[in-house]
Amino acid sequence: MTAVFTAFKEAGLASLVAFLLALPLIGFRTNTTGTGLNFEFRWEALVVSVVIVFVGRCVLTSTRGLWQQSRLHLPSFGYLRSVIDRRRVSFAVIVVLVALLFPFMPEVDRRAIDLATLVLIYVMLGWGLNIVVGLAGLLDLGYVAFYAVGAYTFALLGTVYDWSFWGCLPIAGAVAAMFGVLLGYPVLRLRGDYLAIVTLGFGEIIRVVLTNWVALSGGPNGIAGIPRPTLFGLEFTRRTREGHSFHEYFDLPFSGDHRITFLYYVILILALVTNVFVLRIRKLPIGRAWEALREDEIACRSLGINPVNTKLSAFALGAMFGGLAGAFFASRNGFISPESFTFIESAIILSIVVLGGMGSQIGIVLAAAALILLPEALREFSEYRMLVFGLAMVLVMLWRPRGLLAHRKPTLTLYPSGSRTLK
Amino acid sequence: MTINELLRVEHLTMRFGGLVAISDLSFSAAQGEITAIIGPNGAGKTTVFNCLTGFYKPTVGRLTFTVQGKQPVYLERMDGFRIARAGIGRTFQNIRLFPAMSVLENLIVAQHNELMRASLFSVAGLLGLSRYYDAENEAIELAKKWLDRIGLISDADRQAGELPYGDQRRLEIARAMCSKPALLCLDEPAAGLNRNESGALNELLRDIRDTQGIGILLIEHDMSVVMNISDHIVVLDYGQKISDGFPTVVRHDPRVIRAYLGEEEDYDVDAVQPGLPC
Ligand SMILES: Nc1ncnc2c1ncn2[C@@H]1O[C@H](COP(=O)(O)OP(=O)(O)OP(=O)(O)O)[C@@H](O)[C@H]1O
Ligand SMILES: [Mg+2]
């Protein structure tokens, strides 16, 4: 009896909240008429939404026990995980093969390749930020600043001095890393929330400077005419000054798809390099020191690890990959402006890392694909896009609070996995 | 003065605002000996360690640390991580392992500086040069040796945070030892251990003293441990040294007995049940 009562009480409260929220949000609708705007009061919609909340809450309360039991049996990635663990190498090889052959698969058109390129940019950014957030445990809310620094470095060198993409790529990475050190040195003494706020501020400062320093960055108008990447000097244009274009050299008819495909491979290679780098460095002393710092900074100091330098190296390397991705982004778009580097970008990259499961490389791929493709797929329902996006995030965090594939593999083991006999 | 004096503390004073946690404390610790620091709750024992290992900057005092064959270093103004590099290892009263990392990794992280040099600050490691792998294998061998010693070799790949409490305590000691200190500072290593574990710990500490030739500075509440294994005892009460000397002398010092049990002058430390904290 009391159970029924509490169920009704909770449902009543929930529907009251729903009513208060729905009254302004759903209850009123503005219509444009010949003479101007008028309000329409949609009481049916209001009633329907309150009833849905009431019934939904009742059902949820009464099945709570069931839900909690079934929670354990909900599909988790356990199975996938075990497959991945057992044949880790072959799984990675399959993923890379699929990625390599992707542009030549049937049904894959220009738009799909372009989207895949975008996803890969975020995968690379996620892997870069993973060094800072996932491994070193430093919450960086301004990662987009380094992305912007890389993009503007290349955009300026490319448009002012006509330097090529490949020549500028290491410079963009180095400049971004330098900014990482400059920012990191004063702020890495801060912890947790403080660090997050300072990095957030830094991200905004970079954007504001880019917007206002018109002489350098072109201000809000941005920079256009950024050079495209070339394949050993071959350009992907219909006609070139020197007659060095890809289609002429290989005697192919000109097609815009060549460039799209080429860009896809460039970012695929950049992302794979990032991945190999992160996987390797995690197993080196510096990588283990990052993780140890994340676990306990005081213990690290008692073991002779210099915390400031170690954190700085994580910050600088993370920034470097952000800068490389930024240079690619500038080159791919041919045009950049401060609008591409707003806080929401930092938030998306951070969500990719957190959602993917901090420290998990393949989880980041899944999360990047989900976070970039989901809004694309929901384009038709653009009104509800953010709503669904938010709902998906909340559900994932409820279902897997530590991220999709949070599972830490030791960097060295004495025993082959699962056994206790020496190798 | 012993010839192989490792650490000399002179006139150490530590104030927190108005509170004087340690006042004018002087003592020394020698190589190849276990020096115990005992005293009631809040006597300032952990604060002494924090001053020695650079977590607090002493208000007054000189802390001289001399490893045989090296120049003396003065710890009072050094950064904690530099003190560790100079050769002081420590454990913490509330265990500080790297809980999400494996047992083996905990011991490898302790050898960070050597490995970092061997990997040429990651360059040789990234390129996969054999010079790095040789160093890594050596580090693993040392870790295995200590794991064997503390009986955790079969748990090497488990997460450190999953281990039972007593094992975590021993792992923390092994981790400190893997950083190859000349002086090992242990903050209540026997706290929370049962009698068997406590006995095994005594064995381990004696063994470390005798085979590694290092000095051990030991904070302890458990009288039975202290009387059993220490070569030299310093007693603190309200931040002041009230006694200093051989265990046989200290245990009969009336000031010590008073500090531990109020005014009961005729109290004999031997009467205390071994294993019970005082
Ligand atoms: N960071 C600090 N700030 C202020 N007071 C402190 C600080 N650290 C220690 N104290 C004070 O110094 C005194 C000595 O503390 P300490 O932790 O050294 O005692 P202890 O001998 O280790 O005690 P226990 O046996 O309980 O571990 C206590 O009164 C404590 O409150
Ligand atoms: Mg203490």
Side-chain angles (χ1 to χ4, degrees):
Chain A
M1 198 57 223
T2 46
V4 175
F5 178 71
T6 40
F8 273 108
K9 201 175 87 181
E10 278 185 25
L13 271 174
S15 40
L16 181 69
V17 173
F19 173 76
L20 291 176
L21 281 176
L23 186 65
L25 291 177
I26 298 175
F28 294 103
R29 182 199 194 115
T30 50
N31 288 322
T32 17
T33 59
T35 52
L37 279 176
N38 71 343
F39 277 116
E40 183 196 340
F41 184 57
R42 302 190 294 172
W43 64 270
E44 314 90 331
L46 191 60
V47 170
V48 168
S49 48
V50 171
V51 168
I52 289 177
V53 169
F54 188 83
V55 173
R57 184 75 220 198
C58 279
V59 171
L60 206 65
T61 318
S62 50
T63 57
R64 191 180 283 148
L66 287 175
W67 160 248
Q68 259 155 12
Q69 277 164 8
S70 66
R71 225 171 132 91
L72 302 172
H73 307 294
L74 270 183
S76 73
F77 284 112
Y79 173 70
L80 180 63
R81 190 79 246 175
S82 66
V83 172
I84 294 173
D85 278 350
R86 248 182 290 133
R87 341 165 190 229
R88 198 177 78 244
V89 176
S90 60
F91 184 79
V93 168
I94 289 171
V95 171
V96 173
L97 273 182
V98 169
L100 279 175
L101 297 177
F102 180 75
F104 303 106
M105 287 182 182
E107 308 286 320
V108 171
D109 57 359
R110 218 184 137 117
R111 200 179 99 84
I113 300 178
D114 210 37
L115 257 181
T117 308
L118 191 66
V119 170
L120 281 174
I121 293 181
Y122 282 92
V123 169
M124 179 167 171
L125 288 169
W127 280 339
L129 184 61
N130 188 25
I131 297 178
V132 182
V133 178
L135 295 181
L138 304 165
L139 187 52
D140 181 355
L141 287 182
Y143 192 61
V144 77
F146 306 119
Y147 187 45
V149 167
Y152 271 87
T153 303
F154 171 56
L156 289 171
L157 292 176
T159 53
V160 177
Y161 299 105
D162 268 338
W163 288 10
S164 78
F165 172 74
W166 295 108
C168 292
L169 194 63
I171 303 178
V175 172
M178 204 182 71
F179 269 79
V181 173
L182 282 182
L183 166 70
Y185 197 73
V187 308
L188 283 177
R189 287 153 216 280
L190 305 175
R191 270 178 217 190
D193 312 350
Y194 301 103
L195 181 67
I197 289 166
V198 174
T199 51
L200 173 77
F202 177 72
E204 285 302 284
I205 289 171
I206 292 277
R207 191 177 58 81
V208 169
V209 167
L210 289 175
T211 313
N212 290 290
W213 193 353
V214 179
L216 179 81
S217 66
N221 297 332
I223 300 177
I226 302 169
R228 306 295 188 155
T230 55
L231 179 67
F232 300 111
L234 297 176
E235 292 179 20
F236 289 85
T237 44
R238 192 177 289 277
R239 248 178 289 283
T240 52
R241 271 163 290 161
E242 298 92 8
H244 270 66
S245 72
F246 179 79
H247 67 102
E248 285 166 356
Y249 192 85
F250 288 102
D251 255 343
L252 297 167
F254 176 76
S255 153
D257 293 354
H258 293 158
R259 196 187 77 220
I260 304 286
T261 312
F262 175 63
L263 284 171
Y264 172 82
Y265 281 116
V266 171
I267 186 66
L268 180 63
I269 289 169
L270 285 176
L272 285 178
V273 167
T274 312
N275 183 32
V276 169
F277 183 90
V278 175
L279 287 180
R280 274 197 84 94
I281 204 150
R282 194 176 94 90
K283 302 196 168 178
L284 290 181
I286 186 74
R288 278 191 287 265
W290 290 336
E291 291 198 74
L293 267 181
R294 176 193 71 201
E295 297 287 303
D296 196 322
E297 184 171 336
I298 288 179
C300 279
R301 273 197 277 165
S302 81
L303 295 171
I305 296 174
N306 181 338
V308 174
N309 286 357
T310 309
K311 284 187 196 172
L312 264 186
S313 62
F315 223 64
L317 285 172
M320 182 184 85
F321 288 113
L324 296 179
F328 173 80
F329 173 78
S331 187
R332 163 185 181 251
N333 281 23
F335 165 77
I336 51 168
S337 75
E339 258 174 65
S340 310
F341 308 105
T342 50
F343 169 67
I344 191 77
E345 294 295 316
S346 288
I348 289 179
I349 305 166
L350 187 66
S351 317
I352 287 173
V353 175
V354 174
L355 211 59
M358 294 217 254
S360 156
Q361 298 292 92
I362 196 82
I364 284 174
V365 177
L366 294 180
L371 285 196
I372 304 305
L373 296 181
L374 201 67
E376 289 296 325
L378 294 174
R379 196 138 258 179
E380 288 106 84
F381 319 92
S382 57
E383 276 178 68
Y384 303 103
R385 212 159 101 183
M386 286 322 266
L387 198 68
V388 174
F389 190 79
L391 190 70
M393 287 282 266
V394 171
L395 285 180
V396 170
M397 283 295 118
L398 280 177
W399 173 44
R400 312 225 86 202
R402 301 187 49 216
L404 290 174
L405 288 183
H407 168 80
R408 188 182 174 279
K409 279 190 86 109
T411 57
L412 338 131
T413 51
L414 275 193
Y415 310 108
S417 71
S419 103
R420 278 201 180 183
T421 29
L422 275 174
K423 259 182 205 167
Chain B
M1 274 311 96
T2 358
I3 308 160
N4 43 9
E5 183 185 67
L6 252 184
L7 173 77
R8 184 191 301 184
V9 175
E10 291 164 293
H11 307 295
L12 175 65
T13 299
M14 182 79 216
R15 287 196 202 98
F16 297 106
L19 178 94
V20 185
I22 307 174
S23 79
D24 200 23
L25 170 70
S26 301
F27 68 93
S28 61
Q31 193 181 337
E33 281 191 4
I34 297 181
T35 305
I37 301 181
I38 65 171
N41 279 100
K45 306 177 296 288
T46 301
T47 307
V48 173
F49 269 26
N50 284 340
C51 290
L52 285 176
T53 51
F55 290 98
Y56 295 159
K57 300 286 166 236
T59 320
V60 181
R62 159 133 295 188
L63 311 170
T64 318
F65 179 61
T66 319
V67 180
Q68 221 173 13
K70 288 197 189 156
Q71 286 296 313
V73 290
Y74 301 101
L75 309 175
E76 65 273 4
R77 290 289 175 262
M78 269 166 85
D79 268 329
F81 72 90
R82 288 190 205 285
I83 292 178
R85 286 178 191 181
I88 297 189
R90 75 170 285 184
T91 65
F92 297 86
Q93 191 166 353
N94 41 355
I95 307 175
R96 286 182 176 273
L97 290 170
F98 306 122
M101 301 177 83
S102 78
V103 169
L104 180 64
E105 282 175 312
N106 267 272
L107 300 187
I108 301 294
V109 169
Q111 304 173 56
H112 175 78
N113 288 313
E114 278 177 9
L115 286 175
M116 202 62 184
R117 252 174 276 125
S119 77
L120 295 176
F121 299 91
S122 306
V123 177
L126 281 172
L127 298 178
L129 302 187
S130 65
R131 115 183 213 135
Y132 171 66
Y133 289 112
D134 294 345
E136 193 184 76
N137 285 334
E138 254 175 59
I140 294 176
E141 284 310 314
L142 181 68
K144 269 160 78 174
K145 189 187 105 186
W146 280 104
L147 285 176
D148 235 351
R149 202 106 159 224
I150 61 172
L152 287 182
I153 187 82
S154 60
D155 295 307
D157 295 340
R158 281 178 70 189
Q159 269 192 15
E162 287 176 357
L163 294 181
Y165 188 82
D167 292 351
Q168 292 199 12
R169 281 247 175 247
R170 269 176 299 141
L171 178 59
E172 208 192 9
I173 297 174
R175 186 181 67 180
M177 284 310 298
C178 279
S179 69
K180 300 181 187 144
L183 177 69
L184 176 66
C185 302
L186 304 172
D187 198 342
E188 300 201 16
L193 300 191
N194 63 33
R195 202 191 282 190
N196 280 342
E197 289 174 322
S198 184
L201 180 78
N202 287 358
E203 280 309 307
L204 178 68
L205 295 188
R206 268 203 212 102
D207 185 48
I208 289 178
R209 173 192 61 190
D210 298 340
T211 61
Q212 306 293 307
I214 67 170
I216 296 180
L217 203 57
L218 173 74
I219 291 181
E220 196 42 83
H221 252 134
D222 188 328
M223 276 292 202
S224 71
V225 175
V226 173
M227 294 300 163
N228 252 322
I229 65 170
S230 41
D231 303 294
H232 168 194
I233 297 182
V234 176
V235 189
L236 289 186
D237 193 20
Y238 293 111
Q240 274 169 334
K241 184 165 91 172
I242 56 172
S243 184
D244 187 343
F246 293 115
T248 42
V249 178
V250 167
R251 80 194 321 175
H252 299 299
D253 185 331
R255 295 184 60 184
V256 176
I257 295 167
R258 210 176 308 132
Y260 262 84
L261 280 150
E263 296 300 318
E264 284 177 67
E265 297 272 333
D266 57 352
Y267 169 75
D268 183 6
V269 185
D270 294 320
V272 179
Q273 288 270 308
L276 279 182
C278 288

